[in-house]
Amino acid sequence: MIQETIRVGGVETFSTVDFPEKICATVFMQGCPWRCPFCHNAMLQDINADSGFVWSKFVEFLKTRTKLLDAVVFSGGEPLVQNGLETAIKQVKELGFKIGLHTGGYRPEHLEKIIPLLDWVGFDIKAPFIDDKYEKAIGVCVKTQLPAVLKSLDILLASGIDFECRTTCDPRILSIKDIENIAVFLANKGVKKYFLQKYRPIPSDTQTSDSDCEKFFVDKEFLSSLQQKFEVFGIRK
Ligand code: SF4
């Protein structure tokens, strides 16, 4: 039964920010194999943690919102971890909602399987595509993970689906040069939409100041060079 295999860590019943230009509900899927140092959702990392949220109840809620919401976003955690994701998406799609996915590209074979069901993807790019940089950003050994991320990016590009790449600008692990390198790589690949997200210090980070976090957003020349590389470029604070 789907209710037993989908593990939900939390839900947002109304959001205007998780799916561009759509009003949506967001389901935060339990489980993530990565340990990003800037993670605000550490409670979602352990797939076996009991959140108290039940998938079937979320579906029942969605049935009451078919005329009020445009879309449902599967976020995380890392939704691609869960084998029941495809069934869950189909269940939601049958209710008439558009489907969004937030992912870091873990498990490209799973992404490839579900991509025909998706309407939009928010793809997290954590660092430049260099082993030690990516490893620092995702907090686990990158040997199999970086090829997986790159393969997922290729799958998105080949699919023609509407998607954006976005990077959380954590000054503890990324420099302006790192962001430039990411942007050049993505633009050369053919990515059209790129967003920078401001890092909000996690509770245990008492060292990083607001001006440290802002440094990515005050350099006009840097921002203008990014703007020129993409059809859509934006900043989320
Ligand atoms: S991928 Fe997302 S949920 Fe997983 S550790 Fe990183 S920030 Fe947290």
Side-chain angles (χ1 to χ4, degrees), residues 79-106:
L80 293 175
V81 166
Q82 295 203 33
N83 292 332
L85 180 64
E86 182 181 12
T87 315
I89 289 173
K90 283 180 177 164
Q91 212 173 348
V92 172
K93 215 172 165 64
E94 273 171 20
L95 298 176
F97 296 107
K98 289 193 176 304
I99 305 292
L101 175 76
H102 294 173
T103 181
Y106 174 80

PDB file of all heavy atoms in Angstrom, residues 79-106:
ATOM      1  N   PRO A  79      13.494  13.787  -2.492  1.00  0.00           N
ATOM      2  CA  PRO A  79      12.363  12.934  -2.878  1.00  0.00           C
ATOM      3  C   PRO A  79      12.773  11.698  -3.685  1.00  0.00           C
ATOM      4  O   PRO A  79      12.104  10.668  -3.606  1.00  0.00           O
ATOM      5  CB  PRO A  79      11.490  13.862  -3.735  1.00  0.00           C
ATOM      6  CG  PRO A  79      11.877  15.238  -3.327  1.00  0.00           C
ATOM      7  CD  PRO A  79      13.313  15.174  -2.911  1.00  0.00           C
ATOM      8  N   LEU A  80      13.875  11.800  -4.439  1.00  0.00           N
ATOM      9  CA  LEU A  80      14.265  10.661  -5.284  1.00  0.00           C
ATOM     10  C   LEU A  80      14.717   9.456  -4.469  1.00  0.00           C
ATOM     11  O   LEU A  80      14.865   8.357  -5.004  1.00  0.00           O
ATOM     12  CB  LEU A  80      15.375  11.073  -6.258  1.00  0.00           C
ATOM     13  CG  LEU A  80      14.977  12.091  -7.336  1.00  0.00           C
ATOM     14  CD1 LEU A  80      16.189  12.497  -8.155  1.00  0.00           C
ATOM     15  CD2 LEU A  80      13.888  11.533  -8.243  1.00  0.00           C
ATOM     16  N   VAL A  81      14.926   9.632  -3.184  1.00  0.00           N
ATOM     17  CA  VAL A  81      15.307   8.507  -2.324  1.00  0.00           C
ATOM     18  C   VAL A  81      14.185   7.478  -2.245  1.00  0.00           C
ATOM     19  O   VAL A  81      14.442   6.271  -2.179  1.00  0.00           O
ATOM     20  CB  VAL A  81      15.630   9.032  -0.900  1.00  0.00           C
ATOM     21  CG1 VAL A  81      15.702   7.891   0.099  1.00  0.00           C
ATOM     22  CG2 VAL A  81      16.921   9.807  -0.907  1.00  0.00           C
ATOM     23  N   GLN A  82      12.957   7.956  -2.264  1.00  0.00           N
ATOM     24  CA  GLN A  82      11.836   7.053  -1.969  1.00  0.00           C
ATOM     25  C   GLN A  82      11.343   6.318  -3.215  1.00  0.00           C
ATOM     26  O   GLN A  82      10.950   6.940  -4.201  1.00  0.00           O
ATOM     27  CB  GLN A  82      10.682   7.845  -1.344  1.00  0.00           C
ATOM     28  CG  GLN A  82      11.066   8.419   0.005  1.00  0.00           C
ATOM     29  CD  GLN A  82       9.855   8.696   0.869  1.00  0.00           C
ATOM     30  OE1 GLN A  82       8.848   7.994   0.810  1.00  0.00           O
ATOM     31  NE2 GLN A  82       9.951   9.724   1.676  1.00  0.00           N
ATOM     32  N   ASN A  83      11.331   5.004  -3.123  1.00  0.00           N
ATOM     33  CA  ASN A  83      10.894   4.204  -4.260  1.00  0.00           C
ATOM     34  C   ASN A  83       9.418   4.408  -4.593  1.00  0.00           C
ATOM     35  O   ASN A  83       8.997   4.186  -5.722  1.00  0.00           O
ATOM     36  CB  ASN A  83      11.145   2.718  -3.993  1.00  0.00           C
ATOM     37  CG  ASN A  83      12.624   2.396  -3.959  1.00  0.00           C
ATOM     38  OD1 ASN A  83      13.426   3.084  -4.605  1.00  0.00           O
ATOM     39  ND2 ASN A  83      13.000   1.383  -3.202  1.00  0.00           N
ATOM     40  N   GLY A  84       8.644   4.834  -3.615  1.00  0.00           N
ATOM     41  CA  GLY A  84       7.219   5.026  -3.859  1.00  0.00           C
ATOM     42  C   GLY A  84       6.873   6.374  -4.477  1.00  0.00           C
ATOM     43  O   GLY A  84       5.696   6.699  -4.656  1.00  0.00           O
ATOM     44  N   LEU A  85       7.894   7.153  -4.821  1.00  0.00           N
ATOM     45  CA  LEU A  85       7.632   8.509  -5.331  1.00  0.00           C
ATOM     46  C   LEU A  85       6.753   8.490  -6.583  1.00  0.00           C
ATOM     47  O   LEU A  85       5.818   9.287  -6.711  1.00  0.00           O
ATOM     48  CB  LEU A  85       8.968   9.205  -5.620  1.00  0.00           C
ATOM     49  CG  LEU A  85       8.878  10.630  -6.155  1.00  0.00           C
ATOM     50  CD1 LEU A  85       8.238  11.576  -5.139  1.00  0.00           C
ATOM     51  CD2 LEU A  85      10.271  11.151  -6.543  1.00  0.00           C
ATOM     52  N   GLU A  86       7.049   7.593  -7.505  1.00  0.00           N
ATOM     53  CA  GLU A  86       6.295   7.551  -8.766  1.00  0.00           C
ATOM     54  C   GLU A  86       4.800   7.310  -8.493  1.00  0.00           C
ATOM     55  O   GLU A  86       3.934   7.997  -9.049  1.00  0.00           O
ATOM     56  CB  GLU A  86       6.850   6.440  -9.665  1.00  0.00           C
ATOM     57  CG  GLU A  86       6.153   6.380 -11.009  1.00  0.00           C
ATOM     58  CD  GLU A  86       6.695   5.258 -11.882  1.00  0.00           C
ATOM     59  OE1 GLU A  86       7.453   4.393 -11.376  1.00  0.00           O
ATOM     60  OE2 GLU A  86       6.340   5.227 -13.073  1.00  0.00           O
ATOM     61  N   THR A  87       4.515   6.365  -7.636  1.00  0.00           N
ATOM     62  CA  THR A  87       3.119   6.068  -7.306  1.00  0.00           C
ATOM     63  C   THR A  87       2.467   7.269  -6.636  1.00  0.00           C
ATOM     64  O   THR A  87       1.313   7.603  -6.908  1.00  0.00           O
ATOM     65  CB  THR A  87       3.045   4.854  -6.360  1.00  0.00           C
ATOM     66  OG1 THR A  87       3.915   3.861  -6.868  1.00  0.00           O
ATOM     67  CG2 THR A  87       1.647   4.307  -6.275  1.00  0.00           C
ATOM     68  N   ALA A  88       3.217   7.913  -5.745  1.00  0.00           N
ATOM     69  CA  ALA A  88       2.676   9.080  -5.043  1.00  0.00           C
ATOM     70  C   ALA A  88       2.356  10.197  -6.035  1.00  0.00           C
ATOM     71  O   ALA A  88       1.294  10.831  -5.961  1.00  0.00           O
ATOM     72  CB  ALA A  88       3.685   9.568  -4.006  1.00  0.00           C
ATOM     73  N   ILE A  89       3.270  10.442  -6.959  1.00  0.00           N
ATOM     74  CA  ILE A  89       3.045  11.499  -7.956  1.00  0.00           C
ATOM     75  C   ILE A  89       1.807  11.179  -8.794  1.00  0.00           C
ATOM     76  O   ILE A  89       0.963  12.051  -9.046  1.00  0.00           O
ATOM     77  CB  ILE A  89       4.295  11.661  -8.861  1.00  0.00           C
ATOM     78  CG1 ILE A  89       5.438  12.285  -8.055  1.00  0.00           C
ATOM     79  CG2 ILE A  89       3.982  12.513 -10.075  1.00  0.00           C
ATOM     80  CD1 ILE A  89       6.767  12.349  -8.788  1.00  0.00           C
ATOM     81  N   LYS A  90       1.695   9.921  -9.212  1.00  0.00           N
ATOM     82  CA  LYS A  90       0.534   9.537 -10.033  1.00  0.00           C
ATOM     83  C   LYS A  90      -0.765   9.774  -9.277  1.00  0.00           C
ATOM     84  O   LYS A  90      -1.758  10.244  -9.836  1.00  0.00           O
ATOM     85  CB  LYS A  90       0.645   8.063 -10.439  1.00  0.00           C
ATOM     86  CG  LYS A  90       1.649   7.840 -11.568  1.00  0.00           C
ATOM     87  CD  LYS A  90       1.713   6.367 -11.926  1.00  0.00           C
ATOM     88  CE  LYS A  90       2.651   6.151 -13.103  1.00  0.00           C
ATOM     89  NZ  LYS A  90       3.045   4.758 -13.255  1.00  0.00           N
ATOM     90  N   GLN A  91      -0.732   9.465  -8.005  1.00  0.00           N
ATOM     91  CA  GLN A  91      -1.925   9.647  -7.172  1.00  0.00           C
ATOM     92  C   GLN A  91      -2.331  11.132  -7.132  1.00  0.00           C
ATOM     93  O   GLN A  91      -3.515  11.462  -7.220  1.00  0.00           O
ATOM     94  CB  GLN A  91      -1.606   9.153  -5.763  1.00  0.00           C
ATOM     95  CG  GLN A  91      -2.787   8.559  -5.041  1.00  0.00           C
ATOM     96  CD  GLN A  91      -2.365   7.925  -3.725  1.00  0.00           C
ATOM     97  OE1 GLN A  91      -1.175   7.737  -3.465  1.00  0.00           O
ATOM     98  NE2 GLN A  91      -3.333   7.609  -2.904  1.00  0.00           N
ATOM     99  N   VAL A  92      -1.352  11.999  -7.025  1.00  0.00           N
ATOM    100  CA  VAL A  92      -1.629  13.437  -6.962  1.00  0.00           C
ATOM    101  C   VAL A  92      -2.032  13.975  -8.333  1.00  0.00           C
ATOM    102  O   VAL A  92      -2.947  14.797  -8.463  1.00  0.00           O
ATOM    103  CB  VAL A  92      -0.379  14.180  -6.434  1.00  0.00           C
ATOM    104  CG1 VAL A  92      -0.558  15.689  -6.548  1.00  0.00           C
ATOM    105  CG2 VAL A  92      -0.105  13.794  -4.989  1.00  0.00           C
ATOM    106  N   LYS A  93      -1.373  13.465  -9.350  1.00  0.00           N
ATOM    107  CA  LYS A  93      -1.664  13.913 -10.723  1.00  0.00           C
ATOM    108  C   LYS A  93      -3.101  13.582 -11.111  1.00  0.00           C
ATOM    109  O   LYS A  93      -3.766  14.348 -11.806  1.00  0.00           O
ATOM    110  CB  LYS A  93      -0.678  13.230 -11.669  1.00  0.00           C
ATOM    111  CG  LYS A  93      -0.259  14.100 -12.825  1.00  0.00           C
ATOM    112  CD  LYS A  93       0.852  13.455 -13.609  1.00  0.00           C
ATOM    113  CE  LYS A  93       1.026  14.130 -14.956  1.00  0.00           C
ATOM    114  NZ  LYS A  93       1.446  15.522 -14.907  1.00  0.00           N
ATOM    115  N   GLU A  94      -3.561  12.442 -10.657  1.00  0.00           N
ATOM    116  CA  GLU A  94      -4.944  12.031 -10.956  1.00  0.00           C
ATOM    117  C   GLU A  94      -5.970  13.021 -10.403  1.00  0.00           C
ATOM    118  O   GLU A  94      -7.092  13.103 -10.884  1.00  0.00           O
ATOM    119  CB  GLU A  94      -5.224  10.640 -10.367  1.00  0.00           C
ATOM    120  CG  GLU A  94      -4.833   9.520 -11.308  1.00  0.00           C
ATOM    121  CD  GLU A  94      -4.909   8.156 -10.644  1.00  0.00           C
ATOM    122  OE1 GLU A  94      -5.606   8.030  -9.613  1.00  0.00           O
ATOM    123  OE2 GLU A  94      -4.244   7.244 -11.145  1.00  0.00           O
ATOM    124  N   LEU A  95      -5.575  13.773  -9.393  1.00  0.00           N
ATOM    125  CA  LEU A  95      -6.469  14.783  -8.827  1.00  0.00           C
ATOM    126  C   LEU A  95      -6.461  16.068  -9.651  1.00  0.00           C
ATOM    127  O   LEU A  95      -7.205  17.002  -9.357  1.00  0.00           O
ATOM    128  CB  LEU A  95      -6.074  15.096  -7.377  1.00  0.00           C
ATOM    129  CG  LEU A  95      -6.153  13.924  -6.389  1.00  0.00           C
ATOM    130  CD1 LEU A  95      -5.629  14.351  -5.022  1.00  0.00           C
ATOM    131  CD2 LEU A  95      -7.584  13.430  -6.260  1.00  0.00           C
ATOM    132  N   GLY A  96      -5.592  16.124 -10.649  1.00  0.00           N
ATOM    133  CA  GLY A  96      -5.592  17.266 -11.566  1.00  0.00           C
ATOM    134  C   GLY A  96      -4.537  18.320 -11.284  1.00  0.00           C
ATOM    135  O   GLY A  96      -4.516  19.368 -11.926  1.00  0.00           O
ATOM    136  N   PHE A  97      -3.634  18.048 -10.347  1.00  0.00           N
ATOM    137  CA  PHE A  97      -2.607  19.039 -10.020  1.00  0.00           C
ATOM    138  C   PHE A  97      -1.397  18.932 -10.941  1.00  0.00           C
ATOM    139  O   PHE A  97      -1.030  17.831 -11.362  1.00  0.00           O
ATOM    140  CB  PHE A  97      -2.113  18.840  -8.575  1.00  0.00           C
ATOM    141  CG  PHE A  97      -3.163  19.074  -7.540  1.00  0.00           C
ATOM    142  CD1 PHE A  97      -3.729  18.015  -6.849  1.00  0.00           C
ATOM    143  CD2 PHE A  97      -3.600  20.361  -7.245  1.00  0.00           C
ATOM    144  CE1 PHE A  97      -4.698  18.218  -5.891  1.00  0.00           C
ATOM    145  CE2 PHE A  97      -4.572  20.571  -6.283  1.00  0.00           C
ATOM    146  CZ  PHE A  97      -5.124  19.508  -5.608  1.00  0.00           C
ATOM    147  N   LYS A  98      -0.779  20.072 -11.194  1.00  0.00           N
ATOM    148  CA  LYS A  98       0.540  20.045 -11.820  1.00  0.00           C
ATOM    149  C   LYS A  98       1.533  19.547 -10.769  1.00  0.00           C
ATOM    150  O   LYS A  98       1.287  19.694  -9.572  1.00  0.00           O
ATOM    151  CB  LYS A  98       0.940  21.439 -12.305  1.00  0.00           C
ATOM    152  CG  LYS A  98       0.126  21.894 -13.509  1.00  0.00           C
ATOM    153  CD  LYS A  98       0.731  23.101 -14.159  1.00  0.00           C
ATOM    154  CE  LYS A  98      -0.034  23.500 -15.411  1.00  0.00           C
ATOM    155  NZ  LYS A  98      -0.153  22.441 -16.416  1.00  0.00           N
ATOM    156  N   ILE A  99       2.645  18.996 -11.257  1.00  0.00           N
ATOM    157  CA  ILE A  99       3.605  18.381 -10.327  1.00  0.00           C
ATOM    158  C   ILE A  99       4.965  19.062 -10.434  1.00  0.00           C
ATOM    159  O   ILE A  99       5.541  19.174 -11.523  1.00  0.00           O
ATOM    160  CB  ILE A  99       3.796  16.874 -10.646  1.00  0.00           C
ATOM    161  CG1 ILE A  99       2.454  16.132 -10.639  1.00  0.00           C
ATOM    162  CG2 ILE A  99       4.794  16.250  -9.673  1.00  0.00           C
ATOM    163  CD1 ILE A  99       1.788  16.000  -9.291  1.00  0.00           C
ATOM    164  N   GLY A 100       5.471  19.502  -9.284  1.00  0.00           N
ATOM    165  CA  GLY A 100       6.820  20.048  -9.209  1.00  0.00           C
ATOM    166  C   GLY A 100       7.704  19.141  -8.368  1.00  0.00           C
ATOM    167  O   GLY A 100       7.217  18.403  -7.505  1.00  0.00           O
ATOM    168  N   LEU A 101       8.996  19.191  -8.640  1.00  0.00           N
ATOM    169  CA  LEU A 101       9.964  18.385  -7.879  1.00  0.00           C
ATOM    170  C   LEU A 101      11.146  19.258  -7.503  1.00  0.00           C
ATOM    171  O   LEU A 101      11.682  19.975  -8.357  1.00  0.00           O
ATOM    172  CB  LEU A 101      10.446  17.202  -8.738  1.00  0.00           C
ATOM    173  CG  LEU A 101      11.542  16.332  -8.116  1.00  0.00           C
ATOM    174  CD1 LEU A 101      10.959  15.404  -7.039  1.00  0.00           C
ATOM    175  CD2 LEU A 101      12.257  15.487  -9.183  1.00  0.00           C
ATOM    176  N   HIS A 102      11.547  19.203  -6.243  1.00  0.00           N
ATOM    177  CA  HIS A 102      12.812  19.798  -5.805  1.00  0.00           C
ATOM    178  C   HIS A 102      13.791  18.656  -5.585  1.00  0.00           C
ATOM    179  O   HIS A 102      13.487  17.723  -4.828  1.00  0.00           O
ATOM    180  CB  HIS A 102      12.649  20.547  -4.476  1.00  0.00           C
ATOM    181  CG  HIS A 102      11.778  21.759  -4.552  1.00  0.00           C
ATOM    182  ND1 HIS A 102      11.399  22.471  -3.428  1.00  0.00           N
ATOM    183  CD2 HIS A 102      11.217  22.394  -5.611  1.00  0.00           C
ATOM    184  CE1 HIS A 102      10.638  23.499  -3.791  1.00  0.00           C
ATOM    185  NE2 HIS A 102      10.500  23.463  -5.113  1.00  0.00           N
ATOM    186  N   THR A 103      14.943  18.729  -6.206  1.00  0.00           N
ATOM    187  CA  THR A 103      15.902  17.634  -6.059  1.00  0.00           C
ATOM    188  C   THR A 103      17.330  18.129  -6.206  1.00  0.00           C
ATOM    189  O   THR A 103      17.577  19.167  -6.833  1.00  0.00           O
ATOM    190  CB  THR A 103      15.635  16.521  -7.112  1.00  0.00           C
ATOM    191  OG1 THR A 103      16.579  15.461  -6.928  1.00  0.00           O
ATOM    192  CG2 THR A 103      15.747  17.047  -8.533  1.00  0.00           C
ATOM    193  N   GLY A 104      18.261  17.351  -5.660  1.00  0.00           N
ATOM    194  CA  GLY A 104      19.678  17.611  -5.864  1.00  0.00           C
ATOM    195  C   GLY A 104      20.255  16.680  -6.921  1.00  0.00           C
ATOM    196  O   GLY A 104      21.453  16.707  -7.174  1.00  0.00           O
ATOM    197  N   GLY A 105      19.420  15.844  -7.503  1.00  0.00           N
ATOM    198  CA  GLY A 105      19.880  14.990  -8.598  1.00  0.00           C
ATOM    199  C   GLY A 105      20.409  13.641  -8.173  1.00  0.00           C
ATOM    200  O   GLY A 105      21.005  12.911  -8.966  1.00  0.00           O
ATOM    201  N   TYR A 106      20.182  13.295  -6.932  1.00  0.00           N
ATOM    202  CA  TYR A 106      20.548  11.968  -6.450  1.00  0.00           C
ATOM    203  C   TYR A 106      19.685  10.939  -7.189  1.00  0.00           C
ATOM    204  O   TYR A 106      18.494  11.145  -7.380  1.00  0.00           O
ATOM    205  CB  TYR A 106      20.270  11.936  -4.938  1.00  0.00           C
ATOM    206  CG  TYR A 106      20.434  10.616  -4.259  1.00  0.00           C
ATOM    207  CD1 TYR A 106      21.694  10.165  -3.900  1.00  0.00           C
ATOM    208  CD2 TYR A 106      19.342   9.832  -3.954  1.00  0.00           C
ATOM    209  CE1 TYR A 106      21.849   8.961  -3.256  1.00  0.00           C
ATOM    210  CE2 TYR A 106      19.474   8.627  -3.304  1.00  0.00           C
ATOM    211  CZ  TYR A 106      20.739   8.191  -2.968  1.00  0.00           C
ATOM    212  OH  TYR A 106      20.883   6.996  -2.322  1.00  0.00           O
TER     213      TYR A 106
END
